Amino acid sequence: AQKITQTQPGMFVQEKEAVTLDCTYDTSDPSYGLFWYKQPSSGEMIFLIYQGSYDQQNATEGRYSLNFQKARKSANLVISASQLGDSAMYFCAMREGISSGYALNFGKGTSLLVTP
Amino acid sequence: NAGVTQTPKFQVLKTGQSMTLQCAQDMNHEYMSWYRQDPGMGLRLIHYSVGAGITDQGEVPNGYNVSRSTTEDFPLRLLSAAPSQTSVYFCASSPLAGVLELYFGPGTRLTVT
């Protein structure tokens, strides 16, 4: 079964607008971490933000915030004030504990295009 | 720190050839892993290691071997290349405490003809 689901293959947003990229996850492990990575056209994987399963507050890193709804098993990424340089693939990922070998499981990604 | 390094950046192989993709990290991370990325599939785990001398299979291990003789190095061996192994390969490492953020290498683009 898919552990991470990203239902939006592609998204468009206008510069300076906010955009939400959806992510839902599936786990029975009480301890897990949720990550978002950005992959620009150059190909490197860039870590954006992390949320631990026991964290009470939603994570924020600059213009990125993670809307963590534990009961719904969702971890949506919100990018505020989009910039042209935000155009990229975005991957949601989940890391469980030792029982899963610490594997980081990725979703299939969302392609974001920021337009002027 | 160089972080995670991978060589080569690009490689073309013929079907049936073997080769080794190199990966090294200088952050003293216990955990190292190999992923492959194919269009529309996200990143899929091939093999991983939680320390020197310890390796295990991920989601798509067939056709690949790994070994971990040192903390720093984690080579990925393709035993007999097949066109289905055409992909971009990423090596990644992390500590096994704290946030567990995975640090990625720049990737190797492999084409098997």
Side-chain angles (χ1 to χ4, degrees):
Chain A
Q2 189 76 15
K3 291 205 173 200
I4 294 284
T5 302
Q6 295 180 254
T7 56
Q8 307 152 314
M11 291 278 287
F12 292 88
V13 67
Q14 227 168 356
E15 211 177 354
K16 301 192 180 80
E17 298 291 312
V19 63
T20 298
L21 306 184
D22 294 341
C23 173
T24 57
Y25 60 93
D26 183 28
T27 181
S28 55
D29 193 333
S31 177
Y32 53 89
L34 295 158
F35 300 80
W36 279 90
Y37 283 84
K38 172 184 178 182
Q39 187 178 42
S41 57
S42 51
E44 72 267 33
M45 296 292 290
I46 301 168
F47 166 72
L48 293 178
I49 196 166
Y50 164 82
Q51 179 86 40
S53 59
Y54 295 118
D55 294 342
Q56 297 294 317
Q57 306 260 24
N58 285 346
T60 59
E61 288 287 347
R63 294 186 298 110
Y64 304 108
S65 60
L66 200 152
N67 184 0
F68 181 46
Q69 297 187 43
K70 196 169 181 177
R72 297 180 62 185
K73 293 190 174 177
S74 86
N76 298 340
L77 177 71
V78 181
I79 306 175
S80 63
S82 298
Q83 302 171 355
L84 295 177
D86 294 334
S87 294
M89 280 292 288
Y90 288 81
F91 292 97
C92 179
M94 176 178 65
R95 196 161 195 192
E96 297 163 294
I98 191 169
S99 61
S100 72
Y102 298 102
L104 190 65
N105 291 293
F106 284 84
K108 296 185 177 179
T110 295
S111 176
L112 177 67
L113 182 61
V114 181
T115 59
Chain B
N1 284 354
V4 180
T5 57
Q6 289 183 238
T7 55
K9 283 192 187 310
F10 301 94
Q11 183 71 48
V12 179
L13 288 179
K14 292 190 188 314
T15 297
Q17 286 185 316
S18 63
M19 79 158 295
T20 299
L21 306 186
Q22 301 292 345
C23 174
Q25 53 93 8
D26 61 359
M27 297 173 281
N28 205 32
H29 286 165
E30 302 99 322
Y31 183 91
M32 295 186 75
S33 55
W34 278 101
Y35 286 85
R36 59 177 289 172
Q37 183 178 22
D38 304 295
M41 298 294 292
L43 280 80
R44 293 181 292 168
L45 182 64
I46 305 171
H47 284 285
Y48 66 94
S49 166
V50 296
I54 306 167
T55 63
D56 208 341
Q57 297 180 353
E59 181 187 353
V60 289
N62 292 344
Y64 307 95
N65 268 1
V66 292
S67 59
R68 183 103 179 264
S69 55
T70 67
T71 299
E72 294 78 20
D73 299 299
F74 192 45
L76 178 73
R77 277 181 287 278
L78 280 70
L79 309 170
S80 176
S84 60
Q85 293 178 305
T86 293
S87 189
V88 179
Y89 291 85
F90 287 98
C91 179
S93 73
S94 82
L96 284 179
V99 168
L100 303 186
E101 174 195 340
L102 221 57
Y103 293 78
F104 282 85
T108 295
R109 185 174 293 274
L110 175 69
T111 302
V112 182
T113 61

